[in-house]
Amino acid sequence: MLPRQFDSTLLIICAAFFLPAWLSDATIANLGYCLVWTFAALGLSAMWGYGGILSFGQTAFFGLAGYAYGVFTINFGSAPGVTWAGVVIALAICMLAAALLGYMIFYGGIKDVFIGIVTLSVTLVFETFMAQTAGPQWVIGEARLNGFNGMSMMPSLALPGFGGEPILLEGRNFYFLALTMLGLVYLGTRMLLSSSFGLTLEAIRENPHRAEMLGIDIRRYQLAIFIFGSTLGGLSGILYTAWGSYITPSSMGLTAAAMPIIWVATGGRKSLPGVIIATLALLILSQELVVQGSQYALVIMGAILLFVVMAAPQGLLPSLAAWLSKLISRLPGRSARGK
């Protein structure tokens, strides 16, 4: 039987399938965009909250997988089988890149804050490289990288339909796809982190020297969770590219790289449901603030991160839940029943 946190979170995800009955198409399309980023946030939560690995590289793998999907589908077409083959190939490329980078980090002896520095450097170097690919020579088959202007015209994901007409996963269909994938990824991530693998990761996070003395190959576990979390970042990039038929190097910039850190810190590094809620809430808040000016969104996001670090280091949502639980336990009726 699944633990209670499985049931409640998955129940909420299932209930979200009924939202299109009350919300407009534009709102549902926007929610689909917000759901795209939850995979990168869950991946960072697994790395940071359970493995103790603070990575600024989620947007690098986001961009790598997004561009890989775009290049493949532009060259091979928009048939349902082709688009899903593009997803598989893009994820494979992302996993390979994460394995190479992770091997150099963990088997090279890089630890603690230096992991964040290395992953941020890789992200910014990749963004700078892609931004200068505007010339006509930067072409892979029929796909033009297009530099800082971004690559466009990638086909949407599709499913085979009746009568030979494919079902495009756009608008409401994309929302249902993202929600289904979120439920599956959440369930798989929770099961992985609740297993002996997750417990070993927590032991490594708390005291790597002791774990190594007990015979645990800590580098192998760190590499595995780094590949897993980075691949989820790549999944976000693929879905983003399929959602908007567009990807640009700015999605890998310094600001974009910091956003998953803020979402995960706010939701609670070790709280997967909290991370999902915080990611969706902060994305919606950012969109509302951007209407007034992009600088307002950055200032508010920075203020939220500062407040969380200073006042709620375990995460805003877990701290709020603990405070409410303590408050309820002090109610007169509760105290009487406790006696």
mmCIF file of all heavy atoms in Angstrom, residues 2 4-20 22 28 31 35 38-39 42 174-190 272-277 280:
data_model
loop_
_atom_site.group_PDB
_atom_site.id
_atom_site.type_symbol
_atom_site.label_atom_id
_atom_site.label_comp_id
_atom_site.label_asym_id
_atom_site.label_seq_id
_atom_site.Cartn_x
_atom_site.Cartn_y
_atom_site.Cartn_z
ATOM 1 N N LEU A 2 0.447 2.268 -0.743
ATOM 2 C CA LEU A 2 1.243 3.482 -0.841
ATOM 3 C C LEU A 2 1.135 4.311 0.418
ATOM 4 O O LEU A 2 0.086 4.357 1.052
ATOM 5 C CB LEU A 2 0.769 4.334 -2.032
ATOM 6 C CG LEU A 2 1.019 3.752 -3.412
ATOM 7 C CD1 LEU A 2 0.368 4.621 -4.454
ATOM 8 C CD2 LEU A 2 2.487 3.575 -3.701
ATOM 9 N N ARG A 4 0.726 7.675 2.793
ATOM 10 C CA ARG A 4 -0.337 8.664 2.687
ATOM 11 C C ARG A 4 0.049 9.830 1.777
ATOM 12 O O ARG A 4 -0.786 10.375 1.067
ATOM 13 C CB ARG A 4 -0.680 9.190 4.084
ATOM 14 C CG ARG A 4 -1.870 10.126 4.092
ATOM 15 C CD ARG A 4 -2.330 10.410 5.502
ATOM 16 N NE ARG A 4 -1.256 10.964 6.293
ATOM 17 C CZ ARG A 4 -1.372 11.197 7.607
ATOM 18 N NH1 ARG A 4 -2.482 10.882 8.244
ATOM 19 N NH2 ARG A 4 -0.353 11.714 8.273
ATOM 20 N N GLN A 5 1.377 10.236 1.795
ATOM 21 C CA GLN A 5 1.763 11.359 0.961
ATOM 22 C C GLN A 5 1.620 11.043 -0.521
ATOM 23 O O GLN A 5 1.387 11.926 -1.329
ATOM 24 C CB GLN A 5 3.197 11.811 1.268
ATOM 25 C CG GLN A 5 4.257 10.732 1.115
ATOM 26 C CD GLN A 5 4.556 10.097 2.447
ATOM 27 O OE1 GLN A 5 3.658 9.905 3.260
ATOM 28 N NE2 GLN A 5 5.825 9.761 2.677
ATOM 29 N N PHE A 6 1.734 9.746 -0.893
ATOM 30 C CA PHE A 6 1.467 9.356 -2.269
ATOM 31 C C PHE A 6 0.014 9.648 -2.605
ATOM 32 O O PHE A 6 -0.308 10.252 -3.603
ATOM 33 C CB PHE A 6 1.704 7.854 -2.433
ATOM 34 C CG PHE A 6 3.124 7.469 -2.676
ATOM 35 C CD1 PHE A 6 3.931 7.078 -1.629
ATOM 36 C CD2 PHE A 6 3.636 7.487 -3.942
ATOM 37 C CE1 PHE A 6 5.231 6.684 -1.858
ATOM 38 C CE2 PHE A 6 4.948 7.098 -4.187
ATOM 39 C CZ PHE A 6 5.745 6.700 -3.134
ATOM 40 N N ASP A 7 -0.873 9.149 -1.736
ATOM 41 C CA ASP A 7 -2.302 9.228 -2.018
ATOM 42 C C ASP A 7 -2.774 10.670 -2.164
ATOM 43 O O ASP A 7 -3.491 11.010 -3.096
ATOM 44 C CB ASP A 7 -3.082 8.538 -0.897
ATOM 45 C CG ASP A 7 -2.699 7.070 -0.759
ATOM 46 O OD1 ASP A 7 -2.234 6.481 -1.751
ATOM 47 O OD2 ASP A 7 -2.863 6.522 0.333
ATOM 48 N N SER A 8 -2.370 11.546 -1.236
ATOM 49 C CA SER A 8 -2.857 12.917 -1.250
ATOM 50 C C SER A 8 -2.342 13.669 -2.463
ATOM 51 O O SER A 8 -3.100 14.381 -3.135
ATOM 52 C CB SER A 8 -2.455 13.630 0.044
ATOM 53 O OG SER A 8 -1.046 13.625 0.202
ATOM 54 N N THR A 9 -1.062 13.545 -2.770
ATOM 55 C CA THR A 9 -0.494 14.280 -3.902
ATOM 56 C C THR A 9 -1.060 13.774 -5.223
ATOM 57 O O THR A 9 -1.444 14.563 -6.095
ATOM 58 C CB THR A 9 1.036 14.157 -3.899
ATOM 59 O OG1 THR A 9 1.542 14.621 -2.645
ATOM 60 C CG2 THR A 9 1.642 14.973 -5.023
ATOM 61 N N LEU A 10 -1.108 12.464 -5.384
ATOM 62 C CA LEU A 10 -1.655 11.923 -6.621
ATOM 63 C C LEU A 10 -3.145 12.221 -6.753
ATOM 64 O O LEU A 10 -3.656 12.401 -7.867
ATOM 65 C CB LEU A 10 -1.416 10.414 -6.678
ATOM 66 C CG LEU A 10 0.043 9.986 -6.858
ATOM 67 C CD1 LEU A 10 0.160 8.479 -6.818
ATOM 68 C CD2 LEU A 10 0.601 10.525 -8.166
ATOM 69 N N LEU A 11 -3.847 12.310 -5.630
ATOM 70 C CA LEU A 11 -5.260 12.669 -5.670
ATOM 71 C C LEU A 11 -5.446 14.089 -6.191
ATOM 72 O O LEU A 11 -6.346 14.355 -6.999
ATOM 73 C CB LEU A 11 -5.873 12.529 -4.269
ATOM 74 C CG LEU A 11 -7.373 12.795 -4.154
ATOM 75 C CD1 LEU A 11 -8.148 11.778 -4.991
ATOM 76 C CD2 LEU A 11 -7.820 12.728 -2.697
ATOM 77 N N ILE A 12 -4.564 14.994 -5.751
ATOM 78 C CA ILE A 12 -4.623 16.377 -6.230
ATOM 79 C C ILE A 12 -4.317 16.437 -7.725
ATOM 80 O O ILE A 12 -4.977 17.161 -8.483
ATOM 81 C CB ILE A 12 -3.645 17.259 -5.435
ATOM 82 C CG1 ILE A 12 -4.108 17.373 -3.976
ATOM 83 C CG2 ILE A 12 -3.540 18.646 -6.058
ATOM 84 C CD1 ILE A 12 -3.109 18.060 -3.077
ATOM 85 N N ILE A 13 -3.318 15.669 -8.161
ATOM 86 C CA ILE A 13 -2.976 15.642 -9.584
ATOM 87 C C ILE A 13 -4.146 15.102 -10.402
ATOM 88 O O ILE A 13 -4.476 15.633 -11.474
ATOM 89 C CB ILE A 13 -1.708 14.805 -9.808
ATOM 90 C CG1 ILE A 13 -0.497 15.498 -9.190
ATOM 91 C CG2 ILE A 13 -1.474 14.555 -11.301
ATOM 92 C CD1 ILE A 13 0.785 14.683 -9.252
ATOM 93 N N CYS A 14 -4.798 14.050 -9.902
ATOM 94 C CA CYS A 14 -5.969 13.502 -10.605
ATOM 95 C C CYS A 14 -7.105 14.521 -10.657
ATOM 96 O O CYS A 14 -7.794 14.650 -11.683
ATOM 97 C CB CYS A 14 -6.434 12.226 -9.920
ATOM 98 S SG CYS A 14 -5.303 10.826 -10.105
ATOM 99 N N ALA A 15 -7.316 15.257 -9.552
ATOM 100 C CA ALA A 15 -8.372 16.268 -9.521
ATOM 101 C C ALA A 15 -8.098 17.376 -10.534
ATOM 102 O O ALA A 15 -9.038 17.970 -11.093
ATOM 103 C CB ALA A 15 -8.499 16.851 -8.113
ATOM 104 N N ALA A 16 -6.810 17.654 -10.801
ATOM 105 C CA ALA A 16 -6.453 18.722 -11.747
ATOM 106 C C ALA A 16 -6.882 18.394 -13.170
ATOM 107 O O ALA A 16 -6.964 19.289 -14.022
ATOM 108 C CB ALA A 16 -4.950 18.972 -11.692
ATOM 109 N N PHE A 17 -7.173 17.123 -13.459
ATOM 110 C CA PHE A 17 -7.653 16.763 -14.792
ATOM 111 C C PHE A 17 -9.022 17.383 -15.093
ATOM 112 O O PHE A 17 -9.414 17.498 -16.250
ATOM 113 C CB PHE A 17 -7.744 15.243 -14.933
ATOM 114 C CG PHE A 17 -6.437 14.587 -15.273
ATOM 115 C CD1 PHE A 17 -5.594 14.116 -14.280
ATOM 116 C CD2 PHE A 17 -6.048 14.445 -16.595
ATOM 117 C CE1 PHE A 17 -4.392 13.511 -14.586
ATOM 118 C CE2 PHE A 17 -4.842 13.846 -16.925
ATOM 119 C CZ PHE A 17 -4.009 13.377 -15.909
ATOM 120 N N PHE A 18 -9.751 17.771 -14.053
ATOM 121 C CA PHE A 18 -11.084 18.342 -14.260
ATOM 122 C C PHE A 18 -11.063 19.862 -14.390
ATOM 123 O O PHE A 18 -12.104 20.469 -14.642
ATOM 124 C CB PHE A 18 -11.994 17.929 -13.094
ATOM 125 C CG PHE A 18 -12.220 16.442 -13.001
ATOM 126 C CD1 PHE A 18 -11.446 15.658 -12.148
ATOM 127 C CD2 PHE A 18 -13.174 15.824 -13.785
ATOM 128 C CE1 PHE A 18 -11.638 14.285 -12.067
ATOM 129 C CE2 PHE A 18 -13.379 14.459 -13.716
ATOM 130 C CZ PHE A 18 -12.614 13.689 -12.853
ATOM 131 N N LEU A 19 -9.903 20.486 -14.221
ATOM 132 C CA LEU A 19 -9.826 21.949 -14.303
ATOM 133 C C LEU A 19 -10.253 22.505 -15.662
ATOM 134 O O LEU A 19 -10.886 23.563 -15.724
ATOM 135 C CB LEU A 19 -8.407 22.414 -13.980
ATOM 136 C CG LEU A 19 -7.995 22.349 -12.507
ATOM 137 C CD1 LEU A 19 -6.556 22.816 -12.349
ATOM 138 C CD2 LEU A 19 -8.922 23.205 -11.651
ATOM 139 N N PRO A 20 -9.932 21.841 -16.785
ATOM 140 C CA PRO A 20 -10.359 22.397 -18.073
ATOM 141 C C PRO A 20 -11.865 22.594 -18.204
ATOM 142 O O PRO A 20 -12.320 23.356 -19.064
ATOM 143 C CB PRO A 20 -9.854 21.356 -19.088
ATOM 144 C CG PRO A 20 -8.668 20.751 -18.420
ATOM 145 C CD PRO A 20 -9.033 20.685 -16.971
ATOM 146 N N TRP A 22 -13.665 24.145 -16.150
ATOM 147 C CA TRP A 22 -14.016 25.451 -15.587
ATOM 148 C C TRP A 22 -13.111 26.587 -16.055
ATOM 149 O O TRP A 22 -13.455 27.752 -15.895
ATOM 150 C CB TRP A 22 -13.960 25.386 -14.057
ATOM 151 C CG TRP A 22 -15.006 24.513 -13.455
ATOM 152 C CD1 TRP A 22 -16.329 24.804 -13.275
ATOM 153 C CD2 TRP A 22 -14.844 23.178 -12.990
ATOM 154 N NE1 TRP A 22 -16.989 23.732 -12.720
ATOM 155 C CE2 TRP A 22 -16.099 22.725 -12.527
ATOM 156 C CE3 TRP A 22 -13.750 22.315 -12.907
ATOM 157 C CZ2 TRP A 22 -16.288 21.452 -11.999
ATOM 158 C CZ3 TRP A 22 -13.932 21.048 -12.374
ATOM 159 C CH2 TRP A 22 -15.190 20.632 -11.929
ATOM 160 N N ILE A 28 -5.572 27.236 -19.406
ATOM 161 C CA ILE A 28 -5.091 25.849 -19.417
ATOM 162 C C ILE A 28 -3.751 25.756 -20.144
ATOM 163 O O ILE A 28 -2.836 25.034 -19.714
ATOM 164 C CB ILE A 28 -6.126 24.922 -20.079
ATOM 165 C CG1 ILE A 28 -7.358 24.800 -19.178
ATOM 166 C CG2 ILE A 28 -5.538 23.558 -20.359
ATOM 167 C CD1 ILE A 28 -7.081 24.220 -17.812
ATOM 168 N N LEU A 31 -1.185 26.962 -17.757
ATOM 169 C CA LEU A 31 -0.916 25.952 -16.735
ATOM 170 C C LEU A 31 -0.040 24.829 -17.291
ATOM 171 O O LEU A 31 0.813 24.284 -16.592
ATOM 172 C CB LEU A 31 -2.234 25.377 -16.207
ATOM 173 C CG LEU A 31 -3.018 26.257 -15.235
ATOM 174 C CD1 LEU A 31 -4.339 25.582 -14.870
ATOM 175 C CD2 LEU A 31 -2.209 26.536 -13.981
ATOM 176 N N LEU A 35 3.460 23.567 -15.733
ATOM 177 C CA LEU A 35 3.728 22.164 -15.413
ATOM 178 C C LEU A 35 5.039 21.688 -16.025
ATOM 179 O O LEU A 35 5.695 20.805 -15.466
ATOM 180 C CB LEU A 35 2.575 21.289 -15.914
ATOM 181 C CG LEU A 35 1.261 21.371 -15.129
ATOM 182 C CD1 LEU A 35 0.152 20.641 -15.878
ATOM 183 C CD2 LEU A 35 1.427 20.777 -13.726
ATOM 184 N N THR A 38 7.984 21.785 -13.618
ATOM 185 C CA THR A 38 7.980 20.988 -12.392
ATOM 186 C C THR A 38 8.942 19.807 -12.465
ATOM 187 O O THR A 38 9.461 19.363 -11.434
ATOM 188 C CB THR A 38 6.562 20.463 -12.082
ATOM 189 O OG1 THR A 38 6.082 19.682 -13.197
ATOM 190 C CG2 THR A 38 5.597 21.615 -11.836
ATOM 191 N N PHE A 39 9.224 19.312 -13.665
ATOM 192 C CA PHE A 39 10.132 18.172 -13.791
ATOM 193 C C PHE A 39 11.563 18.581 -13.433
ATOM 194 O O PHE A 39 12.268 17.842 -12.740
ATOM 195 C CB PHE A 39 10.060 17.608 -15.213
ATOM 196 C CG PHE A 39 8.682 17.182 -15.616
ATOM 197 C CD1 PHE A 39 7.874 18.005 -16.381
ATOM 198 C CD2 PHE A 39 8.177 15.960 -15.196
ATOM 199 C CE1 PHE A 39 6.591 17.622 -16.729
ATOM 200 C CE2 PHE A 39 6.899 15.560 -15.548
ATOM 201 C CZ PHE A 39 6.100 16.397 -16.308
ATOM 202 N N LEU A 42 11.638 18.925 -9.642
ATOM 203 C CA LEU A 42 11.692 17.626 -8.968
ATOM 204 C C LEU A 42 13.086 17.002 -9.076
ATOM 205 O O LEU A 42 13.587 16.396 -8.121
ATOM 206 C CB LEU A 42 10.654 16.677 -9.570
ATOM 207 C CG LEU A 42 9.188 16.931 -9.195
ATOM 208 C CD1 LEU A 42 8.267 16.015 -9.996
ATOM 209 C CD2 LEU A 42 8.964 16.733 -7.705
ATOM 210 N N PHE A 174 -2.061 19.030 -24.488
ATOM 211 C CA PHE A 174 -0.731 19.124 -23.890
ATOM 212 C C PHE A 174 -0.836 19.197 -22.368
ATOM 213 O O PHE A 174 -0.008 18.611 -21.656
ATOM 214 C CB PHE A 174 0.011 20.363 -24.413
ATOM 215 C CG PHE A 174 1.406 20.490 -23.860
ATOM 216 C CD1 PHE A 174 2.460 19.843 -24.472
ATOM 217 C CD2 PHE A 174 1.654 21.241 -22.719
ATOM 218 C CE1 PHE A 174 3.744 19.941 -23.960
ATOM 219 C CE2 PHE A 174 2.931 21.352 -22.195
ATOM 220 C CZ PHE A 174 3.985 20.692 -22.819
ATOM 221 N N TYR A 175 -1.813 19.910 -21.871
ATOM 222 C CA TYR A 175 -2.018 19.994 -20.416
ATOM 223 C C TYR A 175 -2.248 18.601 -19.826
ATOM 224 O O TYR A 175 -1.648 18.247 -18.806
ATOM 225 C CB TYR A 175 -3.216 20.902 -20.137
ATOM 226 C CG TYR A 175 -3.678 20.889 -18.698
ATOM 227 C CD1 TYR A 175 -3.019 21.647 -17.728
ATOM 228 C CD2 TYR A 175 -4.789 20.141 -18.311
ATOM 229 C CE1 TYR A 175 -3.443 21.636 -16.402
ATOM 230 C CE2 TYR A 175 -5.223 20.130 -16.990
ATOM 231 C CZ TYR A 175 -4.546 20.889 -16.048
ATOM 232 O OH TYR A 175 -4.977 20.867 -14.738
ATOM 233 N N PHE A 176 -3.087 17.805 -20.477
ATOM 234 C CA PHE A 176 -3.344 16.451 -19.997
ATOM 235 C C PHE A 176 -2.070 15.596 -20.053
ATOM 236 O O PHE A 176 -1.800 14.794 -19.157
ATOM 237 C CB PHE A 176 -4.450 15.793 -20.814
ATOM 238 C CG PHE A 176 -5.808 16.409 -20.597
ATOM 239 C CD1 PHE A 176 -6.627 16.729 -21.675
ATOM 240 C CD2 PHE A 176 -6.265 16.670 -19.315
ATOM 241 C CE1 PHE A 176 -7.883 17.292 -21.468
ATOM 242 C CE2 PHE A 176 -7.520 17.229 -19.098
ATOM 243 C CZ PHE A 176 -8.323 17.544 -20.178
ATOM 244 N N LEU A 177 -1.278 15.777 -21.126
ATOM 245 C CA LEU A 177 -0.023 15.040 -21.255
ATOM 246 C C LEU A 177 0.934 15.416 -20.117
ATOM 247 O O LEU A 177 1.500 14.528 -19.452
ATOM 248 C CB LEU A 177 0.635 15.354 -22.603
ATOM 249 C CG LEU A 177 2.079 14.851 -22.763
ATOM 250 C CD1 LEU A 177 2.108 13.327 -22.822
ATOM 251 C CD2 LEU A 177 2.730 15.461 -24.002
ATOM 252 N N ALA A 178 1.120 16.715 -19.889
ATOM 253 C CA ALA A 178 2.047 17.166 -18.850
ATOM 254 C C ALA A 178 1.591 16.702 -17.467
ATOM 255 O O ALA A 178 2.413 16.307 -16.630
ATOM 256 C CB ALA A 178 2.172 18.687 -18.887
ATOM 257 N N LEU A 179 0.283 16.726 -17.238
ATOM 258 C CA LEU A 179 -0.246 16.315 -15.938
ATOM 259 C C LEU A 179 -0.048 14.812 -15.726
ATOM 260 O O LEU A 179 0.323 14.366 -14.623
ATOM 261 C CB LEU A 179 -1.725 16.673 -15.860
ATOM 262 C CG LEU A 179 -2.338 16.906 -14.474
ATOM 263 C CD1 LEU A 179 -1.564 17.966 -13.702
ATOM 264 C CD2 LEU A 179 -3.798 17.317 -14.618
ATOM 265 N N THR A 180 -0.275 14.026 -16.776
ATOM 266 C CA THR A 180 -0.063 12.582 -16.686
ATOM 267 C C THR A 180 1.399 12.260 -16.421
ATOM 268 O O THR A 180 1.727 11.430 -15.556
ATOM 269 C CB THR A 180 -0.509 11.899 -17.986
ATOM 270 O OG1 THR A 180 -1.895 12.175 -18.223
ATOM 271 C CG2 THR A 180 -0.299 10.393 -17.914
ATOM 272 N N MET A 181 2.281 12.927 -17.147
ATOM 273 C CA MET A 181 3.710 12.692 -16.960
ATOM 274 C C MET A 181 4.162 13.138 -15.574
ATOM 275 O O MET A 181 5.020 12.494 -14.949
ATOM 276 C CB MET A 181 4.505 13.413 -18.046
ATOM 277 C CG MET A 181 4.259 12.867 -19.438
ATOM 278 S SD MET A 181 5.237 13.686 -20.707
ATOM 279 C CE MET A 181 6.862 13.030 -20.372
ATOM 280 N N LEU A 182 3.584 14.225 -15.066
ATOM 281 C CA LEU A 182 3.934 14.692 -13.726
ATOM 282 C C LEU A 182 3.565 13.647 -12.677
ATOM 283 O O LEU A 182 4.351 13.355 -11.769
ATOM 284 C CB LEU A 182 3.231 16.013 -13.420
ATOM 285 C CG LEU A 182 3.427 16.563 -11.999
ATOM 286 C CD1 LEU A 182 4.905 16.799 -11.708
ATOM 287 C CD2 LEU A 182 2.624 17.843 -11.807
ATOM 288 N N GLY A 183 2.368 13.065 -12.812
ATOM 289 C CA GLY A 183 1.958 12.031 -11.876
ATOM 290 C C GLY A 183 2.893 10.829 -11.908
ATOM 291 O O GLY A 183 3.294 10.308 -10.859
ATOM 292 N N LEU A 184 3.283 10.404 -13.109
ATOM 293 C CA LEU A 184 4.169 9.246 -13.238
ATOM 294 C C LEU A 184 5.568 9.548 -12.711
ATOM 295 O O LEU A 184 6.176 8.731 -12.012
ATOM 296 C CB LEU A 184 4.246 8.815 -14.708
ATOM 297 C CG LEU A 184 2.947 8.264 -15.309
ATOM 298 C CD1 LEU A 184 3.116 8.017 -16.799
ATOM 299 C CD2 LEU A 184 2.530 6.984 -14.600
ATOM 300 N N VAL A 185 6.083 10.744 -13.052
ATOM 301 C CA VAL A 185 7.427 11.117 -12.603
ATOM 302 C C VAL A 185 7.447 11.305 -11.091
ATOM 303 O O VAL A 185 8.390 10.873 -10.409
ATOM 304 C CB VAL A 185 7.899 12.392 -13.325
ATOM 305 C CG1 VAL A 185 9.157 12.963 -12.666
ATOM 306 C CG2 VAL A 185 8.176 12.094 -14.788
ATOM 307 N N TYR A 186 6.410 11.922 -10.546
ATOM 308 C CA TYR A 186 6.343 12.102 -9.099
ATOM 309 C C TYR A 186 6.326 10.742 -8.388
ATOM 310 O O TYR A 186 7.064 10.519 -7.423
ATOM 311 C CB TYR A 186 5.098 12.895 -8.714
ATOM 312 C CG TYR A 186 4.832 12.872 -7.221
ATOM 313 C CD1 TYR A 186 5.549 13.686 -6.352
ATOM 314 C CD2 TYR A 186 3.895 11.998 -6.686
ATOM 315 C CE1 TYR A 186 5.328 13.638 -4.990
ATOM 316 C CE2 TYR A 186 3.661 11.943 -5.321
ATOM 317 C CZ TYR A 186 4.382 12.766 -4.481
ATOM 318 O OH TYR A 186 4.175 12.707 -3.124
ATOM 319 N N LEU A 187 5.497 9.844 -8.883
ATOM 320 C CA LEU A 187 5.390 8.519 -8.269
ATOM 321 C C LEU A 187 6.715 7.771 -8.354
ATOM 322 O O LEU A 187 7.187 7.181 -7.376
ATOM 323 C CB LEU A 187 4.279 7.727 -8.950
ATOM 324 C CG LEU A 187 3.982 6.327 -8.395
ATOM 325 C CD1 LEU A 187 3.572 6.401 -6.932
ATOM 326 C CD2 LEU A 187 2.902 5.644 -9.224
ATOM 327 N N GLY A 188 7.344 7.806 -9.531
ATOM 328 C CA GLY A 188 8.619 7.124 -9.697
ATOM 329 C C GLY A 188 9.716 7.718 -8.830
ATOM 330 O O GLY A 188 10.526 6.995 -8.236
ATOM 331 N N THR A 189 9.738 9.052 -8.745
ATOM 332 C CA THR A 189 10.756 9.718 -7.928
ATOM 333 C C THR A 189 10.562 9.406 -6.457
ATOM 334 O O THR A 189 11.525 9.116 -5.732
ATOM 335 C CB THR A 189 10.703 11.242 -8.144
ATOM 336 O OG1 THR A 189 10.853 11.532 -9.534
ATOM 337 C CG2 THR A 189 11.813 11.944 -7.373
ATOM 338 N N ARG A 190 9.320 9.444 -5.993
ATOM 339 C CA ARG A 190 9.037 9.137 -4.588
ATOM 340 C C ARG A 190 9.424 7.694 -4.259
ATOM 341 O O ARG A 190 10.013 7.428 -3.204
ATOM 342 C CB ARG A 190 7.555 9.379 -4.304
ATOM 343 C CG ARG A 190 7.103 8.963 -2.923
ATOM 344 C CD ARG A 190 7.687 9.844 -1.845
ATOM 345 N NE ARG A 190 6.950 11.082 -1.720
ATOM 346 C CZ ARG A 190 7.258 12.030 -0.844
ATOM 347 N NH1 ARG A 190 8.283 11.864 -0.037
ATOM 348 N NH2 ARG A 190 6.566 13.146 -0.776
ATOM 349 N N LEU A 272 8.820 16.713 -2.003
ATOM 350 C CA LEU A 272 8.446 16.688 -3.416
ATOM 351 C C LEU A 272 7.096 17.359 -3.667
ATOM 352 O O LEU A 272 6.969 18.149 -4.620
ATOM 353 C CB LEU A 272 8.440 15.252 -3.939
ATOM 354 C CG LEU A 272 9.779 14.514 -3.910
ATOM 355 C CD1 LEU A 272 9.627 13.115 -4.501
ATOM 356 C CD2 LEU A 272 10.858 15.281 -4.646
ATOM 357 N N PRO A 273 6.060 17.098 -2.849
ATOM 358 C CA PRO A 273 4.798 17.830 -3.064
ATOM 359 C C PRO A 273 4.977 19.334 -2.885
ATOM 360 O O PRO A 273 4.411 20.137 -3.646
ATOM 361 C CB PRO A 273 3.872 17.252 -1.983
ATOM 362 C CG PRO A 273 4.451 15.921 -1.644
ATOM 363 C CD PRO A 273 5.914 16.080 -1.785
ATOM 364 N N GLY A 274 5.777 19.747 -1.880
ATOM 365 C CA GLY A 274 6.021 21.170 -1.656
ATOM 366 C C GLY A 274 6.718 21.813 -2.834
ATOM 367 O O GLY A 274 6.415 22.949 -3.208
ATOM 368 N N VAL A 275 7.658 21.088 -3.453
ATOM 369 C CA VAL A 275 8.382 21.609 -4.614
ATOM 370 C C VAL A 275 7.433 21.830 -5.785
ATOM 371 O O VAL A 275 7.507 22.847 -6.487
ATOM 372 C CB VAL A 275 9.529 20.644 -4.997
ATOM 373 C CG1 VAL A 275 10.062 20.953 -6.394
ATOM 374 C CG2 VAL A 275 10.646 20.733 -3.976
ATOM 375 N N ILE A 276 6.513 20.890 -6.010
ATOM 376 C CA ILE A 276 5.551 21.043 -7.102
ATOM 377 C C ILE A 276 4.669 22.267 -6.867
ATOM 378 O O ILE A 276 4.472 23.101 -7.765
ATOM 379 C CB ILE A 276 4.681 19.776 -7.235
ATOM 380 C CG1 ILE A 276 5.537 18.586 -7.668
ATOM 381 C CG2 ILE A 276 3.549 20.001 -8.247
ATOM 382 C CD1 ILE A 276 4.803 17.258 -7.658
ATOM 383 N N ILE A 277 4.151 22.396 -5.654
ATOM 384 C CA ILE A 277 3.268 23.524 -5.325
ATOM 385 C C ILE A 277 4.012 24.846 -5.452
ATOM 386 O O ILE A 277 3.507 25.813 -6.046
ATOM 387 C CB ILE A 277 2.692 23.353 -3.906
ATOM 388 C CG1 ILE A 277 1.767 22.137 -3.849
ATOM 389 C CG2 ILE A 277 1.932 24.603 -3.479
ATOM 390 C CD1 ILE A 277 1.344 21.759 -2.447
ATOM 391 N N LEU A 280 4.727 25.833 -9.199
ATOM 392 C CA LEU A 280 3.536 26.347 -9.895
ATOM 393 C C LEU A 280 3.149 27.716 -9.360
ATOM 394 O O LEU A 280 2.853 28.643 -10.135
ATOM 395 C CB LEU A 280 2.379 25.359 -9.729
ATOM 396 C CG LEU A 280 2.570 23.987 -10.371
ATOM 397 C CD1 LEU A 280 1.408 23.064 -10.019
ATOM 398 C CD2 LEU A 280 2.716 24.107 -11.879
#
